[in-house]
Amino acid sequence: MKILLYNPDNGVTRNFMPHLWMFLLQALTPPGHEVVLIDGNAQPMNEESIARYVREQNIGLVGIGAMTRMIAKAYRMADAVRATGVKVVMGGPHVTELADEALGRDGGPRHADAVALGEADETWPRIVEDAVRGTLQEIYAPVDDFGQERKPSLQPYPKIPWDKIKLEQFNLLPGILYPLLKRVGAGWGTFRIIPVESGRGCPYGCEFCTVTGFFGDSIRFRSNESVVNELLLLKARAREEGGQIAVFFIDDNFAINVKRTKALLRDIIAANAQVHWVAQISANLLRDEELVDLIAAAGGKWIFIGMESIDPANLADVKKGFNKPGEYAVVLDRLARRNVFAITSFIFGMDNDTRGVAERTLKEIRTWPPGLPIFGLMTPLPATPLYKRLEAAGRLTRPKHWQEFIPFAMAHTPLKMSIDEAHNEVRIGWASSYSPEAIEKAVDSLNHKPLGYRINIFIARLCFRGIYFSQMGRFAWVKTMLENRRTIVKLIRQGFGGGLHAAVPPVATRPVTEQRH
């Protein structure tokens, strides 16, 4: 049987990194089946085109995984596939929490023939075999003999054949950037960010987060050896194809067990398995100087930090009081001294926010080393404690906001500002951080470092700009380049004048429209 695994875009913003679930399920598919992968962010499709593809390629089963921000598009694509007579299985955090919605049991239309609840590592092979036999069930859940939910241990971990998987659709470099990158050195014909996990689960239980509900609060880790071998495989592929590959460790807190993380980083260094990588680590864990030393030595280049707010009252409200805003600057300086920079995430529209929160936050950001600030709105995702609290208080303005995804639009009423005022604060944050003037200032702030670092922050700012400002099409990219031509010319002149003393560290992106999904 030929199987299509499809990950939808949300039709508005673009993800710059493929989702791991497709590669993982491909590796877990029983022998004898052909699995093709399509990520809608890299290979755009509409309902008509996916239906045509399914017919022309003789697809026998379609698996669709989607987070809440993508679920409206996922349902439309699933409907189009089912109209051809092909069975559709849906999974992911949203479907896990709202299985009745996907199955049409809540009074709405049916979108899926079957749903996979929770982590599908164990249930996927059974789903495939049932589909072949024509005995597909409606619900597949990872449970033990006593009906209790069972989480995969991650040991052993499925081997993903990165040396053989077709990755053409995941080249991130727009052609307009080739001349600039060519000045950095060979090997920039392609650039891909590959998702890798070293563990699952998070014990923190932040109020707005879906991770603890989906993956659980008990942390499970892969063996260090399996992670190292995966990095070596990716490093070899990059070398063989003359391209660039960076890794995004998608663990929701890569250093949640500091002792274990240090051991992993030491093993990466000992095996010479360093690739440039990005990881998500909470600020409180970056107090450890030895950990930060090992991050830098093992290839870490960017750390995603969910700061959320500079107001301790806001952080306490959402059960994230372990974040200490007074420590933010110290943590970022500690990273920057080792040439590791930060993607700092902020949420506006929290209950203690008032007008001017963007400027107050920007004032702090301007005192920090250059990085990638991103701004979003507090979003009540299904089944989270935040959703339940706001629902009980009658504060939800769009209880099923996911059915019509609108980026950067609130679904509830903030306490101390209006919805429109919260929207404006996000606009100010993005406009102030990603204007041509702001990008030029960030680049110039690294004039004391080799040119590679300045090119890195420039490309990263352009890519992250696309989270809020549309630049999915070629014309939008050309316009963006023209707006930033002053900085581009400056970098090209510096390149021709010498100073290429460092390779460009990688950029990586994570959409901010859905926190911790």
Side-chain angles (χ1 to χ4, degrees):
M1 182 171 62
K2 192 170 184 180
I3 301 168
L4 168 64
L5 297 179
Y6 172 75
N7 191 86
D9 64 284
N10 57 34
V12 182
T13 58
R14 177 185 174 186
N15 286 350
F16 288 83
M17 181 181 71
H19 289 260
L20 180 62
W21 72 266
M22 296 189 298
F23 303 104
L24 189 59
L25 293 192
Q26 184 181 38
L28 289 167
T29 301
H33 303 284
E34 179 184 356
V35 181
V36 292
L37 312 178
I38 294 180
D39 189 313
N41 298 285
Q43 191 173 328
M45 277 187 159
N46 57 25
E47 294 93 315
E48 181 183 351
S49 58
I50 196 171
R52 182 170 59 251
Y53 183 89
V54 165
R55 287 193 298 266
E56 292 177 353
Q57 296 296 317
N58 195 29
I59 300 294
L61 178 69
V62 174
I64 300 178
M67 295 183 284
T68 296
R69 70 176 182 274
M70 305 168 180
I71 199 67
K73 177 71 176 285
Y75 285 159
R76 294 196 302 272
M77 300 298 268
D79 293 346
V81 171
R82 295 182 74 233
T84 69
V86 174
K87 300 291 187 182
V88 172
V89 181
M90 298 190 75
H94 185 92
V95 168
T96 294
E97 298 296 350
L98 297 178
D100 285 350
E101 180 181 84
L103 292 170
R105 294 177 174 178
D106 65 347
R110 181 169 186 154
H111 305 290
D113 297 283
V115 295
L117 306 184
E119 300 169 60
D121 304 54
E122 294 181 2
T123 55
W124 176 247
R126 183 155 52 95
I127 290 170
V128 172
E129 294 186 356
D130 284 356
V132 171
R133 290 193 295 264
T135 59
L136 200 63
Q137 302 173 34
E138 284 195 332
I139 297 177
Y140 291 84
V143 295
D144 59 24
D145 294 338
F146 301 98
Q148 299 298 311
E149 184 181 17
R150 179 170 56 204
K151 299 288 188 185
S153 71
L154 307 190
Q155 294 194 33
Y157 190 80
K159 184 177 180 181
I160 300 177
W162 292 116
D163 53 336
K164 299 181 178 66
I165 292 176
K166 294 180 179 180
L167 296 173
E168 286 78 5
Q169 64 180 300
F170 301 114
N171 184 17
L172 302 186
L173 293 179
I176 197 168
L177 290 179
Y178 288 169
L180 176 60
L181 291 172
K182 195 172 182 180
R183 294 295 306 161
V184 179
W188 278 94
T190 60
F191 174 47
R192 304 184 180 100
I193 299 173
I194 302 300
V196 172
E197 65 178 345
S198 76
R200 294 181 195 167
C202 181
Y204 285 154
C206 300
E207 187 187 40
F208 54 80
C209 180
T210 63
V211 170
T212 303
F214 187 78
F215 289 115
D217 57 7
S218 178
I219 314 303
R220 293 151 288 143
F221 295 112
R222 296 171 57 180
S223 69
N224 289 359
E225 181 183 13
S226 74
V227 176
V228 169
N229 287 341
E230 192 163 351
L231 297 181
L232 288 170
L233 197 63
L234 288 167
K235 188 173 182 177
R237 174 166 183 157
R239 184 169 56 247
E240 289 168 5
E241 66 184 17
Q244 297 287 333
I245 285 180
V247 161
F248 196 125
F249 284 110
I250 63 170
D251 309 36
D252 277 85
N253 202 331
F254 181 66
I256 192 65
N257 183 321
V258 172
K259 181 178 179 181
R260 180 263 177 183
T261 303
K262 288 180 179 179
L264 173 60
L265 296 176
R266 291 189 186 104
D267 286 352
I268 290 171
I269 296 165
N272 193 29
Q274 293 99 326
V275 296
H276 290 155
W277 54 264
V278 188
Q280 302 171 100
I281 302 177
S282 56
N284 61 306
L285 299 175
L286 294 168
R287 299 167 184 156
D288 190 314
E289 293 275 357
E290 182 185 34
L291 173 64
V292 179
D293 282 337
L294 287 168
I295 287 171
K301 294 300 177 184
W302 289 93
I303 302 297
F304 183 102
I305 304 175
M307 291 180 169
E308 322 309 3
S309 178
I310 60 171
D311 183 346
N314 273 332
L315 296 169
D317 283 346
V318 298
K319 308 297 187 290
K320 198 161 184 176
F322 53 85
N323 265 14
K324 307 297 180 186
E327 296 181 345
Y328 290 169
V330 174
V331 164
L332 298 181
D333 285 337
R334 183 176 296 132
L335 291 169
R337 287 198 303 272
R338 296 160 173 87
N339 293 322
V340 181
F341 296 93
I343 305 163
T344 52
S345 173
F346 297 93
I347 302 172
F348 294 157
M350 300 175 86
D351 279 353
N352 205 46
D353 281 343
T354 58
R355 283 188 300 172
V357 62
E359 186 51 44
R360 291 191 294 273
T361 303
L362 290 165
K363 184 178 179 181
E364 292 292 317
I365 291 173
R366 293 180 189 118
T367 68
W368 300 340
L372 300 172
I374 53 181
F375 309 92
L377 290 156
M378 180 60 82
T379 303
L381 299 173
T384 59
L386 174 66
Y387 189 96
K388 294 172 183 176
R389 174 168 67 85
L390 295 174
E391 183 179 40
R395 292 174 56 192
L396 295 176
T397 56
R398 294 188 295 134
K400 294 189 175 183
H401 56 87
W402 52 86
Q403 292 185 351
E404 183 185 4
F405 175 73
I406 306 172
F408 301 99
M410 294 201 77
H412 74 282
T413 304
L415 281 183
K416 298 183 178 180
M417 64 171 76
S418 70
I419 289 177
D420 286 343
E421 286 170 341
H423 291 176
N424 189 52
E425 296 296 329
V426 168
R427 184 194 62 77
I428 291 170
W430 282 101
S432 298
S433 300
Y434 293 88
S435 67
E437 296 76 19
I439 293 175
E440 183 178 14
K441 185 175 180 180
V443 171
D444 288 347
S445 71
L446 294 177
N447 277 340
H448 61 292
K449 292 186 178 292
L451 178 60
Y453 288 96
R454 300 196 289 284
I455 294 177
N456 176 41
I457 193 71
F458 176 67
I459 295 173
R461 287 266 177 148
L462 291 188
C463 289
F464 271 69
R465 183 184 181 280
I467 297 172
Y468 187 81
F469 300 102
S470 177
Q471 52 191 51
M472 293 180 74
R474 179 174 296 182
F475 175 77
W477 267 109
V478 171
K479 182 181 177 182
T480 300
M481 294 298 142
L482 289 174
E483 291 172 346
N484 289 274
R485 60 188 178 276
R486 177 185 168 96
T487 303
I488 293 174
V489 170
K490 189 185 300 185
L491 289 171
I492 290 174
R493 285 176 176 171
Q494 292 168 356
F496 278 100
L500 293 176
H501 302 133
V504 176
V507 293
T509 61
R510 172 192 176 108
V512 72
T513 49
E514 184 161 353
Q515 297 95 3
R516 307 297 178 274
H517 218 263

